[in-house]
Amino acid sequence: MRSTITSTVLSTLFFLSSLSSITVIAQVNICPGSAPFDMTGAVNWGNGTPGSCTQASLQTLINAGGKIKCNCGSAPFTLVLTSTLTIPLQEVIIDGGNNVTISGNNSVRIFDKLPAANQAGGKLFGLQNIVLANGKAVSKTNELGGGAIFGRAFGSMKIVNVDFINNEGPLSASDDCGAVHTILYKEVIFSNCTFRNNRGANGGAVGTIGSAMFFTNCSFYNNSATGTGGTFDKGGSGGAIYVDGVDQNGVTNFMSICGC
């Protein structure tokens, strides 16, 4: 089925459908998007060569917090992970410069953002101008999916101009989502992002429990909710987006989908 979506707000029926395949003929940015991060003062990951951009060096920079700008050379570069990158309880912002892909190699989750004790202790995780591909979340107790990004309880997230491709969460367990999953975030922003071929039991592209969600000028292609039964505990809801209780974060009771 081919459809052109022109409405500024998508209906609930669209993001809850897990059976339809929708191809957007052309993405037209009809809504004001979120401003990109100002990377002034960012530290470089790499010295301009692909060999300098290692997983260990990136994790070291992430542990220190702050702004990180990828400097892996002028050609497209892919970092293939052997383990998950951990985001600590510090503000972290990463800019891929439009030529970096981070791959989970179909075996590991890409980013795991650690939990805070409460909303006041939550920190911002930001990404822009990067591709997250082939991340895989293996079902474990309280893991809840998120093959590309798992945001554990409390904090905020802003994702600008990021492509999520072929990421996978657990395919049959409750609330296990595909590319991105967050818990009790006061704000999760996706601006000018593309989600393609992601899958999970509920929420093939994005799933959340208790997070305020904002999607602006995003495209969703061939994402799927793979569970059966149509309930939170059995899956099968939200081929693109699955949302459970946006008010539970205690700060922002709101969800917006515009220009998608």
Side-chain angles (χ1 to χ4, degrees), residues 38-84:
D38 179 359
M39 297 304 290
T40 301
V43 297
N44 282 330
W45 172 48
N47 61 15
T49 64
S52 65
C53 289
T54 66
Q55 179 174 341
S57 62
L58 179 57
Q59 184 66 69
T60 297
L61 293 177
I62 290 172
N63 291 344
K67 300 177 182 179
I68 302 167
K69 192 169 184 178
C70 299
N71 184 31
C72 305
S74 58
F77 169 76
T78 299
L79 173 68
V80 179
L81 300 180
T82 57
S83 59
T84 299

Side-chain angles (χ1 to χ4, degrees), residues 23 45 98 104 127 144 155 219 226:
T23 299
W45 172 48
N98 289 313
L127 284 174
L144 297 175
S219 296
T226 55

Side-chain angles (χ1 to χ4, degrees), residues 159-173:
I159 312 294
V160 181
N161 191 34
V162 174
D163 291 346
F164 295 86
I165 302 173
N166 194 43
N167 299 286
E168 181 179 299
L171 301 180
S172 60

Side-chain angles (χ1 to χ4, degrees), residues 189-224:
I189 297 171
F190 295 96
S191 182
N192 293 89
C193 294
T194 298
F195 298 85
R196 189 185 302 272
N197 298 332
N198 304 286
R199 56 205 169 273
N202 276 322
V206 178
T208 182
I209 297 175
S211 299
M213 307 294 289
F214 302 83
F215 297 86
T216 306
N217 303 325
C218 294
S219 296
F220 300 85
Y221 302 90
N222 199 39
N223 303 284
S224 56

Side-chain angles (χ1 to χ4, degrees), residues 33-39 93 95 127-129 158 160-161 191:
S34 183
F37 289 104
D38 179 359
M39 297 304 290
I93 300 169
D95 188 331
L127 284 174
Q128 66 183 19
N129 307 324
K158 179 179 173 182
V160 181
N161 191 34
S191 182

